[in-house]
Amino acid sequence: MMDTTVQNIVVEKVKTSKIDQIDFDNLSFGSVFTDHMLVCDYKNGAWEIPKIIPYQPITLDPSAKIFHYGQSIFEGMKAYKDSNNDVWLFRPLDNQKRLNISAKRMAIPELPEEYFMEGLKTLLKLEKKWIPQSEGSSLYIRPFIFASGKGFHASPADEYKFIIACAPSGSYFSGKVKVLIEETYSRSANGGVGFAKAGGNYAGQFYPTQLAVKKGYQQVIWTDDNTHEYIEEAGAMNIFVRINDTLITGPTSDRILDGITRKSIITIAEDEGIPVEIRKITVSEVVEASKKGILKEMFGAGTAAVVSPISGFGHKNMNYDLPELESSYASLLKKRITDIQYNKTEDKFGWRYKV
């Protein structure tokens, strides 16, 4: 292996790439990984200089605190390649800032912006050939931090590990999904960590989602922890509801993630002249709107799928179907966002970031 230095980041390259073994026409989400990953350790009260090494397993002591107290956070991003073979990111500084918001809440040391950005750019330049160029494909990027420090005592760790791993991926979802409005379990609570991208938030979702799948649904619509009267998120995504011509989404809070796709959809919808309301949405309002025929759309919004249309929902043993629209807000907003991401159109908002 050959060692080189790029902007003080040590790069250890693989001897032989495995890229020729990959079928880029049949990529499932997050199951194939690139040749390299970025690793950065926090020790002795400071983050060390990041390094890029061949993608490989990591070794941890059985007493590493990630296993016992769950100090783990992550982000989800994508890199896109346009028709000129140029590589782009979408609002990466928002991901960097949100990672540190999550870190602070989980008592993890915040990561310097330059470590995140320079490390990410160096990694992507090295892995450029791994970024697929076919329609809807991208390189999924997973930055994450976890507690690697040892000890069984219930306290924050003294050592942490920051890693960026990448996976070339095709489209995340295909088709519309049916969802079940949750009446028993909660994703998060006031004063909790729902606004952070903490691993435990997602682990807690799996069991209720499995119960919904057994009933014939693909995802769960999360409601508030106190009364289950207010719609909050869709699976691991923010949720939008269209009643008549108004697009509605809940406000961010201790319980709801400040989604980057969510913010982008709100901005683009307003730019399109679509009435947007950011307010609490009651389950009863959605049910009544469906009964009256004025519930036009529901969709999830997140990095992986961008926009995931919902075809129907279940509540209190009743099913409600949404209409098939020729011109939906979901398709319009998804196209506006993806055209910016793939450098197909003007970026009037300054979201696109060239690598």
Side-chain angles (χ1 to χ4, degrees), residues 242-288:
R242 176 184 174 184
I243 297 178
N244 286 319
D245 291 331
T246 300
L247 193 63
I248 311 166
T249 192
T252 56
S253 66
D254 284 352
R255 303 184 308 277
I256 299 178
L257 185 72
D258 186 13
I260 294 165
T261 306
R262 170 190 176 276
K263 292 189 289 189
S264 304
I265 284 175
I266 292 169
T267 299
I268 290 174
E270 291 172 341
D271 186 63
E272 288 282 347
I274 295 171
V276 177
E277 294 181 4
I278 302 172
R279 62 171 175 81
K280 290 185 175 181
I281 313 164
T282 64
V283 174
S284 60
E285 179 182 9
V286 172
V287 170
E288 286 304 310

XYZ file of all heavy atoms in Angstrom, residues 242-288:
362
model
N -50.930 17.186 2.240
C -51.587 18.183 1.383
C -53.092 18.082 1.555
O -53.697 17.054 1.243
C -51.223 17.954 -0.084
C -51.952 18.889 -1.039
C -51.641 18.569 -2.489
N -52.440 19.365 -3.403
C -52.419 19.227 -4.738
N -51.618 18.318 -5.296
N -53.179 19.982 -5.506
N -53.684 19.146 2.078
C -55.134 19.250 2.187
C -55.584 20.358 1.247
O -55.132 21.497 1.344
C -55.563 19.539 3.637
C -55.166 18.368 4.551
C -57.069 19.792 3.707
C -55.503 18.569 6.010
N -56.474 19.993 0.297
C -56.780 20.871 -0.828
C -55.460 21.250 -1.509
O -54.725 20.373 -1.930
C -57.599 22.087 -0.383
C -59.040 21.714 -0.090
O -59.646 20.931 -0.829
N -59.603 22.263 0.985
N -55.117 22.512 -1.563
C -53.870 22.905 -2.228
C -52.804 23.356 -1.239
O -51.754 23.869 -1.648
C -54.143 24.042 -3.228
C -54.958 23.572 -4.422
O -54.847 22.371 -4.764
O -55.707 24.373 -5.000
N -53.051 23.186 0.040
C -52.101 23.629 1.063
C -51.214 22.473 1.522
O -51.707 21.381 1.823
C -52.853 24.223 2.270
O -53.635 25.343 1.831
C -51.866 24.696 3.332
N -49.921 22.726 1.572
C -48.953 21.737 2.034
C -48.640 22.022 3.501
O -48.276 23.142 3.865
C -47.679 21.824 1.188
C -46.674 20.681 1.326
C -47.298 19.362 0.875
C -45.426 20.979 0.512
N -48.770 20.998 4.344
C -48.628 21.169 5.790
C -47.559 20.213 6.313
O -47.503 19.048 5.907
C -49.963 20.884 6.522
C -51.117 21.640 5.855
C -49.860 21.261 7.993
C -52.499 21.159 6.297
N -46.727 20.703 7.206
C -45.780 19.843 7.912
C -45.643 20.344 9.340
O -45.829 21.535 9.623
C -44.407 19.806 7.203
O -43.605 18.752 7.756
C -43.658 21.131 7.334
N -45.321 19.443 10.242
C -45.205 19.811 11.646
C -43.951 20.614 11.919
O -42.947 20.503 11.200
N -43.956 21.431 12.958
C -42.763 22.186 13.335
C -41.720 21.276 13.967
O -42.064 20.257 14.565
C -43.299 23.201 14.356
C -44.484 22.511 14.965
C -45.090 21.670 13.878
N -40.457 21.623 13.805
C -39.407 20.863 14.480
C -39.488 21.138 15.983
O -39.987 22.169 16.424
C -38.018 21.235 13.945
O -37.828 22.654 14.074
C -37.876 20.843 12.490
N -38.995 20.171 16.753
C -39.075 20.267 18.209
C -38.073 19.292 18.807
O -37.249 18.713 18.091
C -40.494 19.906 18.674
O -40.767 18.535 18.410
N -38.154 19.090 20.121
C -37.333 18.066 20.765
C -37.576 16.690 20.166
O -36.735 15.806 20.245
C -37.665 17.986 22.260
C -37.077 19.137 23.050
O -36.287 19.907 22.483
O -37.420 19.253 24.241
N -38.761 16.499 19.590
C -39.169 15.176 19.123
C -38.962 14.966 17.628
O -38.974 13.821 17.167
C -40.654 14.947 19.443
C -41.010 15.085 20.923
C -42.472 14.751 21.171
N -43.376 15.479 20.297
C -43.808 16.716 20.516
N -43.401 17.373 21.584
N -44.640 17.302 19.683
N -38.836 16.039 16.874
C -38.840 15.928 15.410
C -37.508 16.393 14.838
O -37.015 17.473 15.164
C -40.002 16.746 14.806
C -41.342 16.201 15.328
C -39.969 16.691 13.290
C -42.551 16.963 14.839
N -36.947 15.583 13.952
C -35.668 15.891 13.326
C -35.792 17.073 12.375
O -36.755 17.176 11.613
C -35.174 14.664 12.552
C -33.788 14.779 11.931
C -32.714 14.730 13.008
C -33.581 13.662 10.920
N -34.804 17.948 12.428
C -34.745 19.099 11.519
C -34.158 18.616 10.188
O -32.981 18.792 9.897
C -33.878 20.201 12.132
C -33.902 21.481 11.302
O -34.755 21.603 10.398
O -33.050 22.357 11.546
N -35.003 17.994 9.382
C -34.547 17.352 8.153
C -34.083 18.355 7.100
O -34.734 19.377 6.870
N -32.988 18.032 6.446
C -32.456 18.907 5.394
C -33.350 18.851 4.163
O -33.618 19.875 3.527
C -31.004 18.508 5.084
C -30.123 18.806 6.302
C -30.473 19.252 3.850
C -28.769 18.149 6.278
N -33.840 17.661 3.813
C -34.793 17.557 2.705
C -36.079 18.288 3.057
O -36.678 18.957 2.206
C -35.085 16.084 2.381
O -33.846 15.396 2.145
C -35.955 15.965 1.145
N -36.514 18.185 4.304
C -37.719 18.893 4.761
C -37.584 20.398 4.526
O -38.476 21.034 3.963
C -37.945 18.613 6.247
C -39.024 19.464 6.912
C -39.014 19.280 8.428
N -39.977 20.160 9.076
C -39.736 21.428 9.401
N -38.544 21.963 9.141
N -40.664 22.157 9.996
N -36.449 20.968 4.949
C -36.230 22.408 4.777
C -36.215 22.784 3.299
O -36.722 23.843 2.906
C -34.915 22.821 5.448
C -34.929 22.718 6.958
C -33.700 23.345 7.592
C -32.457 22.550 7.358
N -31.310 23.043 8.160
N -35.617 21.922 2.491
C -35.520 22.201 1.057
C -36.899 22.179 0.406
O -37.206 23.017 -0.451
C -34.593 21.178 0.389
O -33.321 21.163 1.003
N -37.735 21.215 0.800
C -39.088 21.127 0.244
C -39.901 22.363 0.596
O -40.622 22.915 -0.248
C -39.780 19.842 0.750
C -39.219 18.636 -0.003
C -41.297 19.929 0.585
C -39.736 17.307 0.496
N -39.798 22.820 1.832
C -40.535 24.021 2.234
C -40.122 25.218 1.379
O -40.972 25.971 0.870
C -40.304 24.312 3.731
C -40.961 23.226 4.589
C -40.839 25.696 4.111
C -40.575 23.281 6.053
N -38.819 25.390 1.187
C -38.316 26.524 0.399
C -38.772 26.433 -1.045
O -39.219 27.432 -1.648
C -36.779 26.573 0.470
O -36.375 26.756 1.823
C -36.222 27.711 -0.372
N -38.667 25.249 -1.647
C -39.044 25.089 -3.055
C -40.557 25.243 -3.232
O -41.019 25.846 -4.203
C -38.551 23.733 -3.591
C -37.025 23.745 -3.709
C -39.180 23.412 -4.936
C -36.407 22.426 -4.089
N -41.334 24.700 -2.311
C -42.789 24.842 -2.394
C -43.185 26.316 -2.366
O -44.022 26.760 -3.170
C -43.457 24.084 -1.247
N -42.570 27.071 -1.455
C -42.863 28.507 -1.400
C -42.433 29.197 -2.677
O -43.122 30.108 -3.179
C -42.179 29.115 -0.180
C -42.782 28.650 1.140
C -41.988 29.107 2.360
O -40.803 29.468 2.205
O -42.562 29.096 3.469
N -41.318 28.771 -3.246
C -40.843 29.337 -4.513
C -41.805 29.022 -5.654
O -41.945 29.805 -6.602
C -39.449 28.781 -4.832
C -38.819 29.431 -6.044
O -38.567 30.660 -5.993
O -38.584 28.734 -7.052
N -42.496 27.891 -5.572
C -43.472 27.500 -6.587
C -44.835 28.163 -6.369
O -45.756 27.968 -7.169
C -43.659 25.975 -6.570
C -42.482 25.191 -7.117
C -42.437 25.201 -8.633
O -43.441 25.602 -9.265
O -41.384 24.814 -9.195
N -44.966 28.925 -5.279
C -46.238 29.557 -4.983
C -47.236 28.639 -4.303
O -48.435 28.942 -4.229
N -46.762 27.522 -3.791
C -47.633 26.589 -3.078
C -47.841 27.091 -1.647
O -46.872 27.401 -0.959
C -46.999 25.178 -3.047
C -46.895 24.605 -4.464
C -47.783 24.245 -2.133
C -46.089 23.325 -4.553
N -49.075 27.195 -1.187
C -49.306 27.597 0.209
C -48.710 26.558 1.161
O -48.989 25.367 1.039
C -50.831 27.645 0.332
C -51.347 27.699 -1.068
C -50.345 26.978 -1.914
N -47.897 27.013 2.097
C -47.240 26.117 3.047
C -47.590 26.536 4.469
O -47.529 27.722 4.807
C -45.705 26.133 2.862
C -45.033 25.244 3.912
C -45.317 25.694 1.458
N -47.973 25.572 5.287
C -48.226 25.825 6.698
C -47.327 24.922 7.535
O -47.286 23.713 7.306
C -49.693 25.560 7.046
C -50.669 26.525 6.391
C -52.116 26.250 6.768
O -52.337 25.333 7.608
O -53.006 26.931 6.235
N -46.595 25.519 8.471
C -45.773 24.757 9.410
C -46.482 24.828 10.751
O -46.427 25.833 11.455
C -44.348 25.330 9.487
C -43.695 25.314 8.108
C -43.505 24.545 10.484
C -42.364 26.038 8.041
N -47.175 23.764 11.076
C -48.001 23.737 12.282
C -48.273 22.301 12.680
O -48.012 21.362 11.933
C -49.324 24.459 12.039
C -50.191 23.840 10.948
C -51.569 24.465 10.926
N -52.414 24.002 9.839
C -53.108 22.867 9.845
N -53.046 22.061 10.900
N -53.871 22.524 8.817
N -48.821 22.134 13.866
C -49.202 20.804 14.308
C -50.356 20.274 13.442
O -51.252 21.021 13.063
C -49.617 20.825 15.779
C -48.464 21.070 16.745
C -48.937 20.967 18.184
C -47.773 21.094 19.163
N -48.218 20.959 20.568
N -50.302 18.978 13.159
C -51.334 18.334 12.350
C -51.972 17.240 13.197
O -51.286 16.325 13.675
C -50.743 17.682 11.085
C -49.790 18.634 10.360
C -51.849 17.226 10.137
C -48.906 17.935 9.342
N -53.283 17.318 13.398
C -53.946 16.289 14.192
C -54.320 15.094 13.305
O -54.583 15.241 12.109
C -55.217 16.815 14.869
O -56.169 17.193 13.860
C -54.915 18.006 15.768
N -54.335 13.926 13.940
C -54.771 12.725 13.237
C -56.212 12.894 12.765
O -56.553 12.540 11.631
C -54.647 11.494 14.149
C -55.229 10.256 13.468
C -53.201 11.259 14.557
N -57.041 13.462 13.626
C -58.461 13.633 13.272
C -58.622 14.539 12.063
O -59.510 14.323 11.222
C -59.246 14.183 14.463
O -58.730 15.442 14.874
N -57.771 15.564 11.944
C -57.833 16.459 10.782
C -57.538 15.696 9.492
O -58.220 15.887 8.473
C -56.836 17.603 10.954
C -56.812 18.584 9.792
C -55.770 19.681 9.965
O -54.952 19.592 10.906
O -55.763 20.619 9.143
N -56.541 14.821 9.539
C -56.178 14.042 8.358
C -57.287 13.049 8.011
O -57.661 12.900 6.841
C -54.837 13.314 8.596
C -54.533 12.343 7.466
C -53.708 14.317 8.741
N -57.835 12.379 9.017
C -58.919 11.421 8.778
C -60.143 12.121 8.192
O -60.737 11.646 7.206
C -59.280 10.682 10.080
C -60.563 9.860 9.899
C -58.136 9.779 10.521
N -60.523 13.262 8.764
C -61.690 13.994 8.268
C -61.458 14.509 6.848
O -62.370 14.481 6.011
C -62.025 15.157 9.208
C -62.668 14.724 10.511
C -63.926 13.904 10.299
O -64.800 14.358 9.517
O -64.033 12.812 10.873
